[in-house]
């Protein structure tokens, strides 16, 4: 079930990773201030729509710029300007690759022994051997323990 969830998220992640370099950076004053100004909306106008004081809008825009704004506050401000808030967590690499790498890292003692024996025979670890080691690692290390300090034992 987790493998299927990872596959679905990896499909989305692949698309998003391709888009990330093309996405614009936030305007200098932040998205809320930039959008508000582009709409020709004053802080007082946005404050009225949010039911807060203009000073609260200034604090909101500042907290966005410094990265301390709460997501629900950002969502309310976006909605007050008839905008959608999009918050994404995009893995730097496919999740399945991360899980496989972690599992092999934890299972590394066996892989290191196999690599040592193979290097003595002037061989490298084949993809077949890697898959075999990964299958053994999957049997020995369940997903639920991958990210613990001491996942084995």
């Amino acid at each position: 079930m987790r493998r299927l969830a990872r596959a679905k998220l990896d499909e989305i992640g692949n698309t998003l990773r391709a888009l990330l370099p093309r996405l614009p950076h936030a305007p200098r004053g932040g998205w809320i201030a930039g959008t508000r100004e582009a709409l020709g909306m004053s802080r007082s106008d946005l404050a009225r729509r949010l039911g807060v004081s203009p000073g609260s809008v200034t604090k909101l825009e500042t907290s966005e710029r410094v990265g301390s704004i709460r997501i629900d506050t950002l969502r309310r401000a976006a909605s007050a300007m008839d905008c959608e808030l999009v918050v994404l967590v995009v893995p730097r690499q496919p999740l399945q690759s991360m899980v496989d790498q972690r599992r092999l890292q934890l299972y590394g003692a066996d892989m290191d022994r196999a690599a040592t024996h193979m290097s003595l025979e002037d061989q490298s670890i084949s993809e077949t051997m890697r898959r075999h080691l990964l299958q053994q690692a999957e049997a020995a290390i369940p997903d639920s323990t991958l990210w613990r300090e001491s996942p084995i034992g």
Side-chain angles (χ1 to χ4, degrees), residues 3 7 9 24 27 44 48 53-54 75-76 78 87 89 101 107 109 111 117 127 130 140 142:
R3 187 177 284 275
L9 287 171
S44 295
R48 193 171 32 265
S53 71
R75 185 174 284 116
R76 283 186 31 240
V87 178
V89 174
Q101 287 172 15
Y107 203 68
M111 194 164 108
H117 289 290
E127 184 58 30
R130 183 182 177 284

Side-chain angles (χ1 to χ4, degrees), residues 85-101:
L85 174 66
V86 178
V87 178
L88 301 170
V89 174
V90 181
R92 292 183 182 109
Q93 61 178 312
L95 297 172
Q96 189 62 52
S97 295
M98 291 168 60
V99 166
D100 289 349
Q101 287 172 15

Side-chain angles (χ1 to χ4, degrees), residues 12-55:
I12 295 165
N14 291 339
T15 301
L16 292 173
R17 272 190 300 284
L19 288 175
L20 284 177
R22 298 188 321 215
L23 291 177
H25 294 282
R28 181 181 166 115
W31 288 106
I32 297 299
T35 303
R36 177 184 57 72
E37 290 168 2
L39 288 170
M41 187 182 291
S42 70
R43 283 192 179 93
S44 295
D45 294 331
L46 180 56
R48 193 171 32 265
R49 288 169 162 251
L50 288 168
V52 299
S53 71

